[in-house]
Amino acid sequence: PVPSPTYPFSARLSPDRTTAAFFAFRPDPKTRDDTWRLVTRAFGGAPTDHGVSAGYAVAFSPDGADLAVTYSEEDPANPKSLLTRHEVVNRATGKRTRLVLPPGHFEILDWVDGGRAFLVRSGDTDAERLHLFDRRTGTLADLTPPGWVIQTGRVSADGRR
């Protein structure tokens, strides 16, 4: 059988610029069943499925060893509803560590300050904002000017902006 195509999205490049991380699906050619999967692929290498499904945001750690991932899973209390989850996935071991962000913060966009903090997005469609989330203290610093609504954000290569 001919494999069906893979459609990647939310692609990010590793700090050493040798590997891409993205979410993709490869539906079964007969049933079309599948879900988005977290994949990394070194240029010229084979893809690695990291076991995270239904994801929509991924960011490499500054050293490239880990991935911060935002994904959805079914709410056991309400099967018609989804819960947003965040994890750090170690690329070498596959170990997954749950991250808890304050309520309303639904997407990790980037790593900041050598991994000390994350750039995160919060809010809803009327008031989406950027925040700096300090992993050690759990504190948030609002980065969005009053009256502005954002869609996404990234940290500069030197980590200063």
Side-chain angles (χ1 to χ4, degrees), residues 52-139:
V52 177
S53 61
Y56 53 88
V58 60
F60 277 95
S61 63
D63 65 4
D66 296 310
L67 298 163
V69 181
T70 300
Y71 64 96
S72 298
E73 67 181 13
E74 189 176 277
D75 183 347
N78 182 2
K80 294 182 180 181
S81 181
L82 295 175
L83 299 172
T84 300
R85 300 289 189 219
H86 313 281
E87 290 182 344
V88 171
V89 179
N90 182 277
R91 291 176 54 206
T93 67
K95 180 182 176 193
R96 296 168 62 171
T97 305
R98 178 71 52 100
L99 296 170
V100 179
L101 297 182
H105 291 80
F106 55 80
E107 187 174 7
I108 296 174
L109 299 171
D110 219 341
W111 295 70
V112 181
D113 193 17
R116 178 188 61 81
F118 291 117
L119 182 67
V120 298
R121 184 167 63 111
S122 69
D124 56 34
T125 55
D126 294 328
E128 293 178 354
R129 306 183 64 75
L130 286 177
H131 300 269
L132 190 63
F133 174 71
D134 188 305
R135 294 176 67 192
R136 291 178 290 193
T137 66
T139 58

Side-chain angles (χ1 to χ4, degrees), residues 28-49:
D28 180 284
K30 293 181 182 171
T31 66
R32 303 297 292 166
D33 289 340
D34 199 6
T35 185
W36 293 102
R37 305 292 292 180
L38 173 62
V39 176
T40 56
R41 186 169 192 168
F43 301 125
T48 301
D49 180 339

